[in-house]
Amino acid sequence: MKVIHDLNEIYTQIDFVRRDARRIGVVPTMGALHNGHLSLVQRAKQECDVAVATIFVNPTQFGPNEDLAKYPRTLESDLEGLRQLGCDFVFVPPSDRVYRANHSTFVEPPLVGKRWEGELRPGHFRGVTTIVLKLFQLIPAHVAYFGRKDYQQVAVIRAMVDDLNIPIRIEACATVREPDGLAMSSRNRYLSTEDRGRALGLWLALTKAQNCLMAGDTTCESLERGMRDELAKAPVDSIDYAAIVDPVTMEPMRQVDETAVAIIAARVGSTRLIDNMTLVANEK
Ligand code: PAF
């Protein structure tokens, strides 16, 4: 496994691979890798000839009151995990080379990023689209793998790729969960034992929405009320949103005909968690 810090070097290496007509899969990450990230690298290994992971804690996607300084940095164990999977390249660029002193170009995120995370974390998706486009330029892979846990992020990246005609396929991969259902996240390590118990409320609320839908309740308002009740039982400390949205546009829905996505963002202690579930109505 080659660990590369230099921007020209990664581009040159990937260029060699492309000239050999080998397929490249890239997994962009901010490090603090867990089994969810590793499953994306495994998928890249299975489907492509060469797997590339990137590790970069992207400052432009953190708001002024967010946890950039506190974000977990575990490079040695991240590299060990990637080495064990047989990842071919890991790109770990220095922040001042990615964003040079005079950096002033940003990618305006697409419409699908306006609500939810876009509203609650102003500037977040602008940082995500900008870094992801930069990574796609430096690593012109054939496929990029992202976790479906960040559902809106994947929708934003897909729309950007379509709108800007970027020749890369976006694969959204299943959320990896702890045995009890909690979605794996780099932020879970901040949870105390007591918070960890309450964090399960997100999964229970999503499961409740699916169960109510299966039982014939197709009204979004009532499904959302059920999710909020379940979150209150956990209890989580605050709810940013608990909504049923269209899987493509992420606009709120009134009625679930076939499919919808239940999305939740809530705070447990000082940790903000997000999760989602694709809901499928009972076939008639
Ligand atoms: O999901 C993440 O870890 C980040 O938002 C990403 C896509 C690597 C961009 O910094």
Side-chain angles (χ1 to χ4, degrees):
M1 183 176 85
K2 281 203 170 87
V3 180
I4 297 177
H5 300 279
D6 184 76
L7 279 67
N8 293 325
E9 166 83 2
I10 189 72
Y11 188 83
T12 310
Q13 292 281 353
I14 298 302
D15 195 40
F16 281 140
V17 177
R18 282 192 78 102
R19 281 168 202 234
D20 271 1
R22 285 187 289 161
R23 285 184 68 71
I24 302 160
V26 65
V27 180
T29 81
M30 296 207 298
L33 302 185
H34 49 68
N35 286 344
H37 296 113
L38 297 180
S39 74
L40 303 179
V41 176
Q42 266 166 337
R43 179 104 180 253
K45 286 290 294 177
Q46 279 159 13
E47 296 180 0
C48 302
D49 302 309
V50 170
V52 186
T54 72
I55 298 180
F56 179 64
V57 182
N58 174 36
T60 63
Q61 68 188 76
F62 288 80
N65 301 318
E66 294 182 350
D67 53 358
L68 171 63
K70 210 180 122 205
Y71 199 84
R73 287 156 172 91
T74 56
L75 186 60
E76 282 318 309
S77 62
D78 291 350
L79 293 178
E80 192 42 46
L82 293 169
R83 201 169 282 123
Q84 279 177 19
L85 288 183
C87 186
D88 300 284
F89 294 97
V90 188
F91 179 47
V92 191
S95 191
D96 60 356
R97 296 288 297 134
V98 175
Y99 293 106
R100 281 181 293 206
N102 55 353
H103 184 279
S104 63
T105 307
F106 289 87
V107 179
E108 174 72 15
L111 256 184
V112 70
K114 281 278 178 281
R115 287 182 191 267
W116 319 117
E117 295 301 295
E119 219 166 285
L120 287 151
R121 303 181 66 190
H124 170 65
F125 283 134
R126 181 177 181 255
V128 170
T129 47
T130 302
I131 190 62
V132 170
L133 180 60
K134 277 170 170 284
L135 292 171
F136 288 173
Q137 303 276 31
L138 291 165
I139 304 166
H142 298 87
V143 193
Y145 297 87
F146 294 92
R148 205 175 285 153
K149 186 179 84 69
D150 295 295
Y151 193 93
Q152 193 177 15
Q153 168 170 280
V154 179
V156 163
I157 293 168
R158 271 193 202 292
M160 173 184 79
V161 162
D162 281 354
D163 289 348
L164 301 183
N165 309 105
I166 305 169
I168 192 163
R169 198 177 84 225
I170 303 300
E171 280 293 335
C173 306
T175 302
V176 177
R177 298 182 179 279
E178 302 288 353
D180 63 359
L182 180 72
M184 289 198 184
S185 161
S186 304
R187 290 189 166 93
N188 289 355
R189 67 188 75 204
Y190 300 142
L191 297 167
S192 65
T193 313
E194 193 255 327
D195 289 349
R196 168 65 181 79
R198 298 191 293 131
L200 195 60
L202 279 80
W203 165 250
L204 297 175
L206 295 169
T207 312
K208 179 164 184 181
Q210 175 61 49
N211 289 342
C212 292
L213 181 62
M214 298 280 279
D217 185 354
T218 57
T219 312
C220 295
E221 203 185 322
S222 139
L223 296 173
E224 287 169 0
R225 201 173 323 113
M227 290 203 291
R228 285 179 175 276
D229 288 349
E230 204 58 45
L231 289 167
K233 261 196 239 160
V236 300
D237 292 298
S238 61
I239 303 172
D240 279 351
Y241 53 79
I244 310 289
V245 303
D246 178 279
V248 178
T249 63
M250 298 210 67
E251 290 297 310
M253 291 171 71
R254 295 166 73 110
Q255 197 74 28
V256 183
D257 295 327
E258 285 171 21
T259 66
V261 185
I263 55 170
I264 294 178
R267 221 168 265 279
V268 179
S270 56
T271 308
R272 185 173 185 275
L273 299 170
I274 61 173
D275 201 354
N276 66 82
M277 186 185 281
T278 298
L279 306 181
V280 185
N282 241 339
E283 280 176 31
K284 302 216 169 73

